[in-house]
Coordinates of all heavy atoms in Angstrom, one line a residue:
V1 N 0.8 -1.2 0.0 CA 0.0 0.0 0.0 C 0.9 1.2 0.0 O 0.6 2.2 -0.7 CB -1.0 0.0 1.2 CG1 -1.7 1.3 1.3 CG2 -1.9 -1.2 1.2
L2 N 2.0 1.2 0.8 CA 2.8 2.4 0.8 C 3.4 2.7 -0.5 O 3.5 3.9 -0.9 CB 4.0 2.2 1.9 CG 3.5 2.2 3.3 CD1 4.7 1.7 4.1 CD2 3.0 3.5 3.8
S3 N 3.8 1.8 -1.3 CA 4.4 2.0 -2.6 C 3.3 2.6 -3.6 O 3.6 3.3 -4.5 CB 5.1 0.8 -3.2 OG 4.0 -0.2 -3.5
E4 N 2.0 2.3 -3.4 CA 1.0 2.7 -4.3 C 0.7 4.3 -4.1 O 0.2 4.9 -4.9 CB -0.3 2.0 -4.0 CG -0.2 0.4 -4.4 CD -1.4 -0.3 -4.1 OE1 -2.4 0.2 -3.6 OE2 -1.4 -1.5 -4.3
V5 N 1.1 4.8 -2.9 CA 1.0 6.3 -2.8 C 2.4 6.9 -2.8 O 2.5 8.1 -2.4 CB 0.3 6.5 -1.4 CG1 -1.1 6.0 -1.4 CG2 1.1 5.9 -0.2
G6 N 3.4 6.3 -3.4 CA 4.7 6.9 -3.7 C 5.7 6.9 -2.5 O 6.7 7.6 -2.5
R7 N 5.3 6.1 -1.4 CA 6.3 6.1 -0.3 C 7.1 4.9 -0.4 O 7.1 4.0 0.4 CB 5.4 6.1 1.0 CG 4.6 7.4 1.1 CD 3.6 7.4 2.2 NE 4.1 7.1 3.6 CZ 3.3 6.9 4.6 NH1 2.0 7.0 4.4 NH2 3.8 6.6 5.7
F8 N 8.0 4.9 -1.4 CA 8.8 3.8 -1.8 C 9.8 3.4 -0.7 O 10.0 2.2 -0.5 CB 9.5 4.0 -3.2 CG 8.5 4.2 -4.3 CD1 8.4 5.5 -4.8 CD2 7.7 3.2 -4.7 CE1 7.5 5.7 -5.9 CE2 6.7 3.4 -5.7 CZ 6.7 4.7 -6.3
D9 N 10.5 4.4 -0.2 CA 11.6 4.0 0.8 C 11.0 3.4 2.0 O 11.5 2.4 2.6 CB 12.3 5.3 1.2 CG 13.2 5.9 0.1 OD1 13.6 5.1 -0.8 OD2 13.5 7.0 0.1
E10 N 9.9 4.0 2.5 CA 9.1 3.4 3.7 C 8.7 2.0 3.4 O 8.8 1.1 4.2 CB 8.0 4.3 4.1 CG 7.4 3.9 5.4 CD 6.3 5.0 5.9 OE1 6.2 6.1 5.2 OE2 5.6 4.6 6.8
A11 N 8.1 1.8 2.2 CA 7.6 0.5 1.9 C 8.7 -0.5 1.8 O 8.6 -1.6 2.3 CB 7.0 0.5 0.5
A12 N 9.9 -0.1 1.2 CA 11.1 -1.0 1.2 C 11.5 -1.4 2.6 O 11.9 -2.5 2.8 CB 12.2 -0.4 0.4
R13 N 11.6 -0.4 3.5 CA 12.0 -0.7 4.8 C 11.1 -1.7 5.5 O 11.5 -2.6 6.2 CB 12.1 0.6 5.6 CG 13.3 1.4 5.4 CD 13.5 2.5 6.4 NE 12.4 3.4 6.5 CZ 12.3 4.5 5.7 NH1 13.1 4.8 4.8 NH2 11.2 5.3 5.9
E14 N 9.8 -1.5 5.3 CA 8.8 -2.4 5.9 C 9.0 -3.9 5.4 O 9.0 -4.8 6.2 CB 7.4 -1.9 5.7 CG 7.0 -0.7 6.4 CD 7.1 -0.8 7.9 OE1 6.7 -1.8 8.4 OE2 7.5 0.3 8.6
V15 N 9.2 -4.0 4.1 CA 9.3 -5.3 3.5 C 10.6 -6.0 4.0 O 10.6 -7.1 4.3 CB 9.3 -5.2 1.9 CG1 9.6 -6.6 1.3 CG2 7.9 -4.8 1.5
Q16 N 11.7 -5.2 4.0 CA 13.0 -5.7 4.4 C 12.9 -6.1 5.9 O 13.5 -7.1 6.4 CB 14.1 -4.7 4.2 CG 14.4 -4.7 2.7 CD 15.4 -3.6 2.4 OE1 15.7 -2.7 3.1 NE2 16.0 -3.7 1.1
A17 N 12.2 -5.4 6.7 CA 12.0 -5.7 8.1 C 11.3 -7.1 8.3 O 11.7 -7.9 9.1 CB 11.3 -4.6 8.9
A18 N 10.2 -7.2 7.4 CA 9.5 -8.5 7.5 C 10.4 -9.6 7.0 O 10.3 -10.8 7.6 CB 8.3 -8.3 6.5
M19 N 11.2 -9.4 6.0 CA 12.1 -10.4 5.6 C 13.1 -10.8 6.7 O 13.4 -12.0 6.9 CB 12.9 -10.1 4.3 CG 12.0 -10.1 3.1 SD 13.0 -10.0 1.5 CE 13.6 -8.3 1.6
A20 N 13.6 -9.9 7.4 CA 14.5 -10.2 8.6 C 13.8 -11.0 9.6 O 14.4 -11.9 10.1 CB 15.1 -8.9 9.1
I21 N 12.5 -10.7 9.9 CA 11.8 -11.5 10.8 C 11.7 -12.9 10.3 O 11.9 -13.9 11.1 CB 10.4 -10.9 11.1 CG1 10.6 -9.6 11.9 CG2 9.6 -11.8 11.9 CD1 9.4 -8.7 12.0
L22 N 11.3 -13.1 9.1 CA 11.2 -14.5 8.5 C 12.5 -15.2 8.6 O 12.5 -16.4 8.9 CB 10.7 -14.3 7.1 CG 9.2 -13.9 6.9 CD1 8.9 -13.7 5.4 CD2 8.3 -15.0 7.4
K23 N 13.5 -14.5 8.2 CA 14.8 -15.2 8.2 C 15.2 -15.6 9.6 O 15.8 -16.7 9.8 CB 15.9 -14.4 7.5 CG 17.2 -15.0 7.2 CD 18.1 -14.1 6.4 CE 19.3 -14.8 6.0 NZ 20.2 -14.0 5.1
G24 N 15.0 -14.7 10.6 CA 15.4 -15.0 11.9 C 14.6 -16.2 12.5 O 15.0 -16.9 13.4
G25 N 13.4 -16.4 11.9 CA 12.5 -17.5 12.4 C 12.7 -18.7 11.6 O 11.9 -19.7 11.8
G26 N 13.7 -18.8 10.7 CA 13.9 -20.0 9.9 C 13.0 -20.1 8.8 O 12.8 -21.2 8.3
E27 N 12.4 -19.1 8.3 CA 11.4 -19.1 7.2 C 11.9 -18.7 5.9 O 11.2 -18.2 5.0 CB 10.1 -18.3 7.6 CG 9.5 -18.7 8.8 CD 8.6 -20.0 8.7 OE1 8.1 -20.3 7.6 OE2 8.5 -20.8 9.6
S28 N 13.2 -18.8 5.7 CA 13.9 -18.3 4.5 C 13.4 -18.9 3.2 O 13.6 -18.3 2.1 CB 15.4 -18.3 4.6 OG 15.8 -19.6 4.7
G29 N 12.8 -20.0 3.2 CA 12.3 -20.7 2.0 C 10.8 -20.7 1.9 O 10.3 -21.3 1.1
S30 N 10.1 -20.0 2.8 CA 8.7 -20.1 2.8 C 8.0 -19.3 1.7 O 8.6 -18.5 1.0 CB 8.2 -19.5 4.2 OG 8.4 -18.1 4.2
D31 N 6.7 -19.5 1.6 CA 6.0 -18.7 0.6 C 6.0 -17.2 1.0 O 6.1 -16.4 0.0 CB 4.4 -19.2 0.7 CG 4.3 -20.6 0.4 OD1 5.1 -21.3 0.0 OD2 3.1 -21.1 0.7
S32 N 6.0 -17.0 2.2 CA 6.1 -15.5 2.7 C 7.4 -14.9 2.2 O 7.4 -13.7 1.8 CB 6.0 -15.4 4.2 OG 4.6 -15.9 4.6
H33 N 8.5 -15.6 2.3 CA 9.8 -15.1 2.0 C 9.8 -14.7 0.5 O 10.2 -13.6 0.1 CB 11.0 -16.0 2.4 CG 12.3 -15.5 2.2 ND1 13.2 -16.1 1.4 CD2 12.9 -14.3 2.5 CE1 14.3 -15.4 1.3 NE2 14.1 -14.3 2.0
S34 N 9.4 -15.7 -0.4 CA 9.4 -15.4 -1.8 C 8.5 -14.3 -2.1 O 8.7 -13.5 -3.0 CB 9.1 -16.7 -2.6 OG 7.8 -17.2 -2.3
S35 N 7.4 -14.2 -1.4 CA 6.4 -13.1 -1.6 C 7.0 -11.8 -1.3 O 6.8 -10.8 -1.9 CB 5.1 -13.3 -0.8 OG 4.4 -14.4 -1.3
M36 N 7.8 -11.7 -0.2 CA 8.5 -10.4 0.2 C 9.5 -10.0 -0.8 O 9.6 -8.9 -1.2 CB 9.2 -10.6 1.5 CG 8.3 -10.9 2.7 SD 7.3 -9.4 3.1 CE 5.8 -10.2 3.3
L37 N 10.2 -11.0 -1.4 CA 11.2 -10.7 -2.5 C 10.5 -10.2 -3.7 O 10.9 -9.2 -4.3 CB 12.0 -12.0 -2.8 CG 12.9 -12.4 -1.7 CD1 13.4 -13.9 -2.1 CD2 14.1 -11.5 -1.6
M38 N 9.3 -10.8 -4.0 CA 8.6 -10.3 -5.1 C 8.0 -8.8 -4.8 O 7.9 -8.0 -5.7 CB 7.4 -11.2 -5.6 CG 8.0 -12.5 -6.1 SD 6.7 -13.6 -6.9 CE 5.8 -14.0 -5.5
S39 N 7.7 -8.6 -3.6 CA 7.2 -7.2 -3.3 C 8.3 -6.2 -3.4 O 8.1 -5.1 -3.9 CB 6.8 -7.2 -1.8 OG 5.7 -8.0 -1.6
M40 N 9.6 -6.6 -3.1 CA 10.7 -5.7 -3.3 C 10.8 -5.4 -4.8 O 11.1 -4.3 -5.2 CB 11.9 -6.2 -2.7 CG 12.0 -6.2 -1.2 SD 11.9 -4.5 -0.5 CE 13.3 -3.7 -1.2
A41 N 10.7 -6.5 -5.6 CA 10.7 -6.3 -7.1 C 9.7 -5.3 -7.5 O 9.9 -4.5 -8.4 CB 10.6 -7.7 -7.7
R42 N 8.5 -5.5 -7.0 CA 7.3 -4.6 -7.4 C 7.7 -3.1 -7.0 O 7.4 -2.2 -7.8 CB 6.2 -5.0 -6.7 CG 4.9 -4.1 -6.8 CD 4.0 -4.5 -7.8 NE 2.9 -3.5 -7.9 CZ 2.0 -3.5 -8.7 NH1 2.0 -4.5 -9.6 NH2 1.1 -2.6 -8.9
I43 N 8.3 -2.9 -5.9 CA 8.6 -1.5 -5.4 C 9.6 -1.0 -6.4 O 9.5 0.2 -6.9 CB 9.2 -1.5 -4.0 CG1 8.1 -1.8 -3.0 CG2 9.9 -0.2 -3.7 CD1 8.6 -2.2 -1.6
E44 N 10.6 -1.8 -6.9 CA 11.6 -1.2 -7.8 C 10.9 -1.0 -9.2 O 11.2 0.0 -9.9 CB 12.7 -2.3 -8.1 CG 13.5 -2.6 -6.8 CD 14.3 -1.4 -6.2 OE1 14.3 -0.3 -6.8 OE2 14.9 -1.5 -5.2
Y45 N 10.0 -1.9 -9.6 CA 9.3 -1.7 -10.9 C 8.6 -0.4 -10.8 O 8.5 0.4 -11.8 CB 8.3 -2.9 -11.1 CG 7.4 -2.6 -12.2 CD1 7.8 -2.9 -13.6 CD2 6.1 -2.3 -12.0 CE1 6.9 -2.7 -14.6 CE2 5.2 -2.0 -13.0 CZ 5.7 -2.2 -14.3 OH 4.8 -2.1 -15.4
E46 N 7.9 -0.1 -9.8 CA 7.0 1.1 -9.7 C 7.9 2.4 -9.8 O 7.4 3.5 -10.1 CB 6.2 1.1 -8.4 CG 5.1 0.1 -8.5 CD 4.3 -0.1 -7.2 OE1 4.7 0.6 -6.2 OE2 3.4 -0.8 -7.2
Q47 N 9.2 2.3 -9.5 CA 10.1 3.4 -9.6 C 10.9 3.4 -10.9 O 11.8 4.2 -11.1 CB 11.1 3.3 -8.4 CG 10.5 3.5 -7.0 CD 11.5 3.4 -6.0 OE1 12.1 4.4 -5.6 NE2 11.6 2.2 -5.4
R48 N 10.5 2.4 -11.8 CA 11.1 2.3 -13.0 C 12.6 1.9 -12.9 O 13.5 2.3 -13.7 CB 11.0 3.5 -13.9 CG 9.6 3.8 -14.2 CD 9.5 4.9 -15.2 NE 8.2 5.5 -15.4 CZ 7.0 5.0 -15.6 NH1 6.8 3.8 -15.5 NH2 6.0 5.8 -15.9
R49 N 12.9 1.2 -11.9 CA 14.3 0.7 -11.6 C 14.4 -0.8 -12.0 O 14.3 -1.6 -11.1 CB 14.7 1.0 -10.1 CG 14.7 2.5 -9.9 CD 14.9 2.9 -8.4 NE 15.7 2.0 -7.6 CZ 16.0 2.2 -6.4 NH1 15.7 3.3 -5.8 NH2 16.6 1.3 -5.7
Y50 N 14.5 -1.0 -13.3 CA 14.3 -2.3 -13.8 C 15.4 -3.3 -13.4 O 15.2 -4.5 -13.3 CB 14.0 -2.3 -15.3 CG 12.8 -1.4 -15.6 CD1 12.9 -0.3 -16.3 CD2 11.5 -1.7 -15.1 CE1 11.8 0.6 -16.6 CE2 10.4 -0.9 -15.3 CZ 10.5 0.2 -16.1 OH 9.5 1.0 -16.3
E51 N 16.6 -2.8 -13.5 CA 17.8 -3.7 -13.1 C 17.7 -4.2 -11.7 O 17.9 -5.4 -11.4 CB 19.1 -2.9 -13.3 CG 19.4 -2.7 -14.8 CD 20.8 -2.0 -15.0 OE1 21.6 -2.1 -14.1 OE2 20.9 -1.4 -16.0
Q52 N 17.3 -3.3 -10.8 CA 17.0 -3.7 -9.4 C 15.9 -4.7 -9.3 O 15.9 -5.6 -8.5 CB 16.8 -2.5 -8.5 CG 18.1 -1.6 -8.3 CD 18.2 -0.6 -9.4 OE1 17.5 -0.6 -10.4 NE2 19.2 0.3 -9.3
Q53 N 14.8 -4.4 -10.1 CA 13.7 -5.3 -10.1 C 14.1 -6.8 -10.5 O 13.7 -7.7 -9.8 CB 12.6 -4.9 -11.1 CG 11.5 -5.8 -11.2 CD 10.6 -5.6 -12.5 OE1 11.0 -4.8 -13.4 NE2 9.4 -6.1 -12.5
L54 N 14.9 -6.8 -11.5 CA 15.4 -8.1 -12.0 C 16.3 -8.8 -10.9 O 16.1 -10.0 -10.6 CB 16.3 -7.9 -13.2 CG 16.9 -9.2 -13.8 CD1 15.8 -10.2 -14.2 CD2 17.7 -8.8 -15.0
E55 N 17.0 -8.1 -10.2 CA 17.9 -8.6 -9.1 C 17.0 -9.3 -8.0 O 17.2 -10.4 -7.5 CB 18.8 -7.6 -8.4 CG 19.9 -7.1 -9.3 CD 20.7 -6.0 -8.7 OE1 20.6 -5.7 -7.6 OE2 21.4 -5.4 -9.6
W56 N 15.9 -8.6 -7.6 CA 15.0 -9.1 -6.6 C 14.2 -10.3 -7.1 O 14.0 -11.3 -6.4 CB 14.0 -8.0 -6.1 CG 14.6 -7.0 -5.2 CD1 14.9 -5.7 -5.5 CD2 15.0 -7.2 -3.9 NE1 15.5 -5.1 -4.4 CE2 15.6 -6.0 -3.4 CE3 15.0 -8.3 -3.0 CZ2 16.1 -5.9 -2.1 CZ3 15.6 -8.1 -1.7 CH2 16.1 -7.0 -1.3
L57 N 13.9 -10.3 -8.4 CA 13.1 -11.5 -8.9 C 14.1 -12.7 -9.0 O 13.7 -13.8 -8.8 CB 12.6 -11.2 -10.3 CG 11.3 -10.3 -10.2 CD1 11.0 -9.8 -11.7 CD2 10.2 -10.9 -9.6
Q58 N 15.3 -12.4 -9.3 CA 16.4 -13.5 -9.3 C 16.6 -14.1 -8.0 O 16.7 -15.3 -7.8 CB 17.7 -13.0 -9.9 CG 17.6 -12.7 -11.4 CD 18.8 -12.0 -12.0 OE1 19.5 -11.3 -11.3 NE2 19.0 -12.3 -13.3
R59 N 16.5 -13.3 -7.0 CA 16.6 -13.9 -5.6 C 15.4 -14.7 -5.3 O 15.5 -15.8 -4.7 CB 16.7 -12.7 -4.6 CG 18.0 -12.0 -4.6 CD 18.0 -10.8 -3.6 NE 19.2 -10.0 -3.8 CZ 19.4 -8.9 -3.0 NH1 18.6 -8.6 -2.1 NH2 20.4 -8.2 -3.3
A60 N 14.2 -14.2 -5.7 CA 13.0 -15.0 -5.5 C 13.0 -16.3 -6.2 O 12.6 -17.4 -5.7 CB 11.7 -14.2 -5.9
E61 N 13.6 -16.3 -7.4 CA 13.7 -17.5 -8.2 C 14.6 -18.5 -7.5 O 14.3 -19.7 -7.5 CB 14.3 -17.2 -9.6 CG 14.5 -18.5 -10.5 CD 15.2 -18.2 -11.8 OE1 16.0 -17.2 -11.8 OE2 15.1 -19.0 -12.6
A62 N 15.7 -18.0 -7.0 CA 16.6 -18.9 -6.2 C 15.9 -19.5 -5.1 O 16.1 -20.7 -4.8 CB 17.8 -18.1 -5.7
V63 N 15.0 -18.8 -4.4 CA 14.2 -19.4 -3.3 C 13.3 -20.5 -3.8 O 13.3 -21.6 -3.2 CB 13.5 -18.3 -2.5 CG1 12.5 -19.0 -1.5 CG2 14.4 -17.4 -1.8
V64 N 12.5 -20.2 -4.8 CA 11.5 -21.1 -5.2 C 12.1 -22.4 -5.9 O 11.5 -23.5 -5.8 CB 10.4 -20.5 -6.1 CG1 9.6 -19.4 -5.3 CG2 11.0 -20.0 -7.4
R65 N 13.2 -22.2 -6.5 CA 13.9 -23.4 -7.2 C 14.3 -24.4 -6.2 O 14.6 -25.6 -6.5 CB 15.0 -22.9 -8.1 CG 14.6 -22.3 -9.3 CD 15.6 -22.3 -10.4 NE 15.2 -21.6 -11.6 CZ 14.6 -22.2 -12.6 NH1 14.4 -23.5 -12.6 NH2 14.3 -21.6 -13.7
Q66 N 14.6 -24.0 -4.9 CA 15.1 -24.9 -3.9 C 14.0 -25.8 -3.3 O 14.3 -26.8 -2.7 CB 15.7 -24.1 -2.7 CG 17.0 -23.4 -3.0 CD 17.4 -22.5 -1.8 OE1 16.9 -22.7 -0.8 NE2 18.4 -21.7 -2.1
Y67 N 12.7 -25.5 -3.6 CA 11.6 -26.2 -3.0 C 10.7 -26.6 -4.2 O 9.8 -25.8 -4.6 CB 10.8 -25.3 -2.0 CG 11.8 -24.8 -0.9 CD1 12.5 -23.6 -1.0 CD2 12.1 -25.7 0.2 CE1 13.3 -23.2 0.0 CE2 12.9 -25.2 1.2 CZ 13.6 -24.1 1.1 OH 14.4 -23.7 2.1
P68 N 10.8 -27.9 -4.6 CA 9.9 -28.4 -5.6 C 8.4 -28.2 -5.3 O 8.0 -28.4 -4.1 CB 10.3 -29.8 -5.7 CG 11.7 -30.0 -5.2 CD 11.7 -28.9 -4.1
G69 N 7.6 -27.7 -6.2 CA 6.2 -27.6 -5.9 C 5.9 -26.2 -5.1 O 4.8 -26.1 -4.6
H70 N 6.9 -25.4 -5.0 CA 6.7 -24.1 -4.3 C 5.5 -23.3 -5.0 O 5.4 -23.2 -6.2 CB 8.0 -23.3 -4.4 CG 8.0 -22.1 -3.4 ND1 7.2 -21.1 -3.5 CD2 8.7 -21.9 -2.3 CE1 7.4 -20.2 -2.5 NE2 8.4 -20.8 -1.8
P71 N 4.5 -22.9 -4.2 CA 3.3 -22.3 -4.7 C 3.6 -20.9 -5.5 O 2.8 -20.5 -6.4 CB 2.4 -22.0 -3.5 CG 3.3 -22.1 -2.4 CD 4.5 -23.0 -2.7
N72 N 4.7 -20.3 -5.3 CA 5.0 -19.0 -6.0 C 5.9 -19.3 -7.2 O 6.2 -18.3 -7.9 CB 5.7 -18.1 -5.1 CG 4.8 -17.5 -4.0 OD1 3.5 -17.5 -4.2 ND2 5.3 -17.1 -2.9
Y73 N 6.2 -20.5 -7.6 CA 7.1 -20.8 -8.7 C 6.6 -20.1 -9.9 O 7.4 -19.4 -10.6 CB 7.3 -22.3 -8.9 CG 8.3 -22.6 -9.9 CD1 9.7 -22.5 -9.7 CD2 7.8 -22.9 -11.2 CE1 10.6 -22.7 -10.7 CE2 8.7 -23.2 -12.3 CZ 10.0 -23.1 -12.0 OH 10.9 -23.4 -13.0
G74 N 5.4 -20.4 -10.3 CA 4.9 -19.9 -11.6 C 4.8 -18.3 -11.6 O 5.2 -17.8 -12.7
T75 N 4.5 -17.7 -10.5 CA 4.5 -16.3 -10.5 C 5.8 -15.7 -10.7 O 6.0 -14.7 -11.4 CB 3.8 -15.8 -9.1 OG1 2.5 -16.5 -9.0 CG2 3.7 -14.3 -9.1
V76 N 6.8 -16.3 -10.0 CA 8.1 -15.7 -10.1 C 8.7 -15.9 -11.5 O 9.2 -14.9 -12.1 CB 9.1 -16.5 -9.1 CG1 10.6 -16.1 -9.3 CG2 8.8 -16.1 -7.7
I77 N 8.5 -17.0 -12.1 CA 9.0 -17.2 -13.5 C 8.3 -16.4 -14.5 O 8.9 -15.8 -15.4 CB 8.8 -18.7 -13.9 CG1 9.7 -19.6 -12.9 CG2 9.3 -19.0 -15.3 CD1 11.2 -19.3 -12.8
S78 N 7.0 -16.2 -14.2 CA 6.2 -15.3 -15.1 C 6.8 -13.9 -15.0 O 6.9 -13.1 -16.0 CB 4.8 -15.4 -14.7 OG 4.0 -14.4 -15.5
N79 N 7.0 -13.4 -13.8 CA 7.5 -12.0 -13.6 C 8.9 -11.8 -14.2 O 9.2 -10.8 -14.7 CB 7.5 -11.7 -12.1 CG 6.0 -11.4 -11.6 OD1 5.1 -11.2 -12.3 ND2 5.9 -11.5 -10.3
L80 N 9.7 -12.9 -14.1 CA 11.0 -12.8 -14.7 C 11.0 -12.7 -16.2 O 11.7 -11.9 -16.8 CB 11.8 -14.0 -14.4 CG 12.6 -14.0 -13.1 CD1 13.2 -15.4 -12.8 CD2 13.8 -13.0 -13.2
A81 N 10.1 -13.5 -16.8 CA 9.9 -13.4 -18.3 C 9.4 -12.0 -18.7 O 9.9 -11.5 -19.6 CB 8.8 -14.5 -18.7
L82 N 8.5 -11.4 -18.0 CA 8.0 -10.1 -18.3 C 9.2 -9.0 -18.1 O 9.2 -8.1 -18.9 CB 6.9 -9.7 -17.4 CG 5.6 -10.4 -17.7 CD1 4.5 -10.1 -16.6 CD2 5.0 -10.1 -19.0
C83 N 10.0 -9.3 -17.1 CA 11.1 -8.4 -16.9 C 12.1 -8.3 -18.0 O 12.7 -7.3 -18.4 CB 11.8 -8.8 -15.6 SG 12.9 -7.5 -14.9
Y84 N 12.4 -9.5 -18.6 CA 13.3 -9.6 -19.8 C 12.6 -9.1 -21.0 O 13.2 -8.5 -21.8 CB 13.8 -11.0 -20.0 CG 14.8 -11.5 -19.0 CD1 14.5 -12.5 -18.1 CD2 16.0 -11.0 -19.1 CE1 15.4 -12.9 -17.1 CE2 17.0 -11.4 -18.1 CZ 16.7 -12.3 -17.2 OH 17.6 -12.8 -16.3

């Protein structure tokens, strides 16, 4: 929601804080973690920072590839394709 009103820095801080909590709790491969990575990619996209968007999507891809049947796999791959 913050990124939708142009508060990109605040949105990025909130997402990164959530990722730190997930990582600290051992949830680094969870659906939530890949969703957070995709959220960061979206924030970059909304700022037209496409190279950074690609980097976040590549991180998300690394997460979902580690877990066969990951529910976010299709979304991550689709977003990567659109990015290219």
